[in-house]
Amino acid sequence: MTPVTIDKIKGVFFGQAIGDALGLGTEFMTKKTVRQHYPNGLSEYSAIIQDAHRKRWNIGDWTDDTDQFLCIVDSIIQSGNVDEIAFAKELYRWFKDAPMGIGQTVYRVLSIPQFTLYPHRAAEMIWRFSKKQIASNGAIMRTSILGTYDFWNYASVERNTTKIARVTHWDSRCAGSCVVVSLLIAHLLKENDGLDIQQLISFADTYDDRIKPYIELAYEKDIALLQLDEPTSIGYTLKALSAGLWSYFNATNFEEGILEIIHEGGDADTNACIAGSILGAKFGYHSIPKKYIDGLLYREILEEKLDAYLSILNERFSTQ
Ligand SMILES: [Mg+2]
C-alpha cells in the first residue's frame, strides 16, 4: 500500500474517533441549545460542558460508536477476516461490561439468548418485532472501517459491510446506508477519488429507494435542510448518512466539516464520526489538526489497534 493510502486509512480511524469525541459535546442538543451552551462555538474537547449526560465521559474520550468500530477491528485482528460471529463475540464482550451510551437496538438484539451464535437471526427478530420500522444509526456509526478492509475489491467491501451491519440492524435502509459510506471510502482509497451523487444513489437504490432523498439533501449547500436536530428522527440511519455525505460534498477541509456537523446538534457524535471517517479518507490523516489527535484520551490504544490492523491489511494487499 502506498503512503498516501496508509495516511487515508489512518484518517478513517482518527476521523471516526475525533468526530465521536467532539460530537459528544453537542449530542442530543437542538441547534438553538448548542448556540446557548457554546456562544463562541465548540472546537476543543476541553470546552465540552459537563452536564449530567456528558460528564460520564472524560474529556477526549470517545463513546459507543468508536467502541463498536474497534470491536470490528479487534475481530479482524483476531480472526484475520471479517466474520459476523467473531464480531458478535467482540460486541458481546463489550456489552457485558455495561458500556455507556449503548443504543436501544443494540441492547435489545444483544439481549436475545444465543446472540453470539445466531446474531443475524437475533437482529431480524428484533426488526420484525418493531413491525419492520427500526432503522437506527447503530450500525452506520461503526462500519466505516469496512471501507478500508480489502478496499481494492468493492464486491468484498459491500459483502463485509452488510454482514457486519446486520449483526444488529436488519433493515435494508441500515445495510444500504452503511454500504454507501463503505464504498465511498473504498473509492477514496483505491482511486484517490470519490463518487458522484449519481453513483452514490445507484448503490443506495439496490437496497432501498427511501435512501435516495437523503443523498440528494446532503448534496445541498445548506446544512440546515438536513434538520439534524429534528426530535422525532434523531438516531435515524439516513439522517446520519446525510450528515456524513453533506461533509463529503461540502466541506473544504477536515476541521470545517466536523465543526459544521456538530453545531447542528442532534445525534452529533454519531453524525460527526461518520463525517470524520469520510473526511479522513478524503483529506488524509495529515490534514487533521494536531490538537484533535493529541487530545484523544486513548490515542495510544487507537494507534496500537491501527498498527495491528494495518499489518493484516498490508499482508492481504501484497498477496491479492
Ligand atoms: Mg455515541
Side-chain angles (χ1 to χ4, degrees):
M1 296 190 292
T2 67
V4 172
T5 310
I6 291 171
D7 187 69
K8 284 172 176 284
I9 294 172
K10 229 173 146 176
V12 172
F13 272 64
F14 276 86
Q16 161 90 23
I18 290 166
D20 189 359
L22 204 57
L24 173 66
T26 63
E27 186 187 15
F28 303 142
M29 291 182 187
T30 62
K31 193 172 179 172
K32 198 173 154 204
T33 332
V34 173
R35 262 191 244 118
Q36 286 164 355
H37 284 299
Y38 304 106
N40 301 314
L42 170 65
S43 59
E44 313 277 343
Y45 303 125
S46 58
I48 293 176
I49 60 154
Q50 297 298 298
D51 59 3
H53 174 55
R54 272 155 274 268
K55 73 179 178 196
R56 295 181 298 152
W57 284 270
N58 292 314
I59 296 294
D61 195 359
W62 55 66
T63 75
D64 59 322
D65 309 55
T66 306
D67 285 344
Q68 291 191 28
F69 174 102
L70 292 175
C71 285
I72 301 177
V73 175
D74 285 337
S75 74
I76 293 171
I77 293 169
Q78 276 160 32
S79 69
N81 242 314
V82 177
D83 175 75
E84 69 269 25
I85 302 294
F87 169 63
K89 285 180 181 161
E90 281 301 320
L91 191 61
Y92 195 72
R93 199 198 315 266
W94 169 78
F95 172 71
K96 292 303 276 180
D97 287 340
M100 292 190 293
I102 186 167
Q104 271 188 37
T105 309
V106 171
Y107 183 85
R108 282 188 214 150
V109 173
L110 269 68
S111 300
I112 300 272
Q114 298 194 312
F115 161 76
T116 54
L117 290 176
Y118 309 107
H120 285 168
R121 277 196 218 166
E124 185 180 1
M125 193 187 294
I126 293 300
W127 177 69
R128 290 192 184 279
F129 279 152
S130 81
K131 301 195 169 64
K132 305 181 183 177
Q133 293 299 306
I134 290 183
S136 48
N137 60 12
I140 196 172
M141 73 182 195
R142 67 175 179 239
T143 51
S144 296
I145 166 72
L146 298 167
T148 72
Y149 186 86
D150 287 0
F151 63 87
W152 52 90
N153 179 342
Y154 298 143
S156 165
V157 166
E158 182 166 1
R159 209 168 37 243
N160 289 331
T161 303
T162 53
K163 73 183 176 192
I164 295 302
R166 286 175 180 149
V167 163
T168 50
H169 290 68
W170 196 255
D171 195 280
S172 54
R173 288 166 291 177
C174 297
S177 53
C178 293
V179 165
V180 167
V181 173
S182 283
L183 286 175
L184 174 56
I185 290 173
H187 279 78
L188 286 164
L189 296 179
K190 187 181 179 188
E191 329 271 348
N192 210 1
D193 194 13
L195 292 164
D196 64 30
I197 181 170
Q198 290 312 326
Q199 290 170 305
L200 291 166
I201 288 172
S202 68
F203 289 133
D205 279 348
T206 63
Y207 287 84
D208 198 302
D209 57 16
R210 288 170 288 184
I211 305 174
K212 180 181 172 184
Y214 286 82
I215 299 178
E216 290 172 333
L217 214 51
Y219 194 68
E220 301 285 338
K221 290 244 171 314
D222 184 4
I223 193 171
L225 295 172
L226 303 183
Q227 298 185 294
L228 295 178
D229 64 347
E230 195 282 310
T232 62
S233 58
I234 282 180
Y236 185 29
T237 191
L238 300 182
K239 276 281 168 95
L241 174 70
S242 68
L245 293 182
W246 183 89
S247 69
Y248 164 68
F249 286 131
N250 293 290
T252 55
N253 61 59
F254 180 89
E255 184 173 25
E256 176 199 311
I258 295 286
L259 295 183
E260 288 264 10
I261 293 293
I262 66 169
H263 285 86
E264 293 299 299
D267 205 345
D269 58 333
T270 295
N271 295 338
C273 75
I274 298 158
S277 57
I278 295 173
L279 294 170
K282 184 174 180 182
F283 297 113
Y285 172 80
H286 70 276
S287 78
I288 301 176
K290 210 169 168 309
K291 65 176 181 181
Y292 293 133
I293 295 167
D294 292 344
L296 281 177
L297 187 60
Y298 298 111
R299 174 189 173 175
E300 277 153 37
I301 292 179
L302 194 64
E303 270 169 355
E304 273 167 34
K305 289 181 192 287
L306 171 67
D307 286 348
Y309 173 74
L310 279 174
S311 61
I312 289 174
L313 201 59
N314 239 325
E315 177 84 27
R316 295 181 69 85
F317 185 78
S318 55
T319 55
Q320 61 173 298

